[in-house]
Amino acid sequence: MDHPSTITRNHHSISSRAFPEPATNPPMPFITITASSLPWTIKVYASNRAFVTFEDVVDSVYRTLRTNITQSEFNSFPSASDQRRASRAYEQRYRRQRNGRLYEEEKRSGMKRVDFLMGHTRFLGISSSGRRPDEWHLNVT
C-alpha cells in the first residue's frame, strides 16, 4: 500500500475534509479490521477520543501493513505456493521504486505484512463483518 497521502478516488485526490469524518456509522471509539489473507487484526483507536475517523483507519492500516514480518510469520503461510506468491509481491513492491535509494532501502528492509496481500493493495474501504459492531473487514483489490 502506498502512503495514505496518495489516496485517490476515481483518480482524484480525496478531500482533506473527508479525513476527520467518522469511519463508521454509527461512530465508534474503537474498531478491529481483519482480512482473509492476514493473520493479524488491525486495531484502530479514535485519535480524537470520540470516534474512529477515516484518517485513523487509513493510518492504522498503513502502519500495520508496513511492519516487517518474522520468519515464523512467513512460515505461517498455508502452503509453499503462498510463500512464493508473497515473495513475488515483495519483489514487485521494491522493484517498482524508480529512485535508486528508495529501491535499495525497500529491498533491504525485507518482507512486510503488506506482502501477505500478494499484490492486492488498492484500498477499497472497510465493510462490516456482520458479527459485532466493532468488527470490520478490509476490502482491497
Side-chain angles (χ1 to χ4, degrees):
M1 292 196 142
D2 292 329
H3 190 272
S5 65
T6 65
I7 292 177
T8 62
R9 182 170 186 222
N10 299 325
H11 305 289
H12 294 84
S13 294
I14 293 186
S15 169
S16 60
R17 292 183 300 232
F19 287 90
E21 293 293 321
T24 62
N25 187 14
M28 314 247 348
F30 169 80
I31 63 171
T32 59
I33 302 173
T34 60
S36 56
S37 57
L38 298 176
W40 307 277
T41 298
I42 300 169
K43 294 175 174 34
V44 186
Y45 297 91
S47 60
N48 63 15
R49 295 194 172 97
F51 56 84
V52 171
T53 64
F54 173 63
E55 183 173 19
D56 294 332
V57 168
V58 171
D59 284 344
S60 295
V61 168
Y62 179 77
R63 274 187 284 102
T64 299
L65 295 180
R66 291 292 298 168
T67 301
N68 285 72
I69 64 168
T70 65
Q71 186 63 47
S72 66
E73 289 169 333
F74 181 76
N75 294 338
S76 74
F77 278 109
S79 68
S81 172
D82 285 341
Q83 289 178 338
R84 285 191 298 275
R85 288 177 57 212
S87 295
R88 278 195 302 275
Y90 157 64
E91 291 167 3
Q92 290 170 350
R93 180 171 49 80
Y94 73 76
R95 287 182 177 157
R96 77 172 197 214
Q97 298 297 329
R98 302 205 188 281
N99 176 300
R101 183 183 58 80
L102 293 176
Y103 172 93
E104 288 301 324
E105 200 175 287
E106 205 58 32
K107 182 179 179 181
R108 189 176 36 259
S109 69
M111 288 187 75
K112 299 190 180 300
R113 289 179 172 183
V114 69
D115 299 320
F116 272 63
L117 296 175
M118 300 182 195
H120 300 278
T121 58
R122 176 165 280 200
F123 178 75
L124 298 177
I126 59 173
S127 56
S128 174
S129 70
R131 291 188 293 268
R132 292 181 20 190
D134 63 342
E135 290 182 10
W136 294 78
H137 182 77
L138 178 66
N139 300 303
V140 293
T141 186

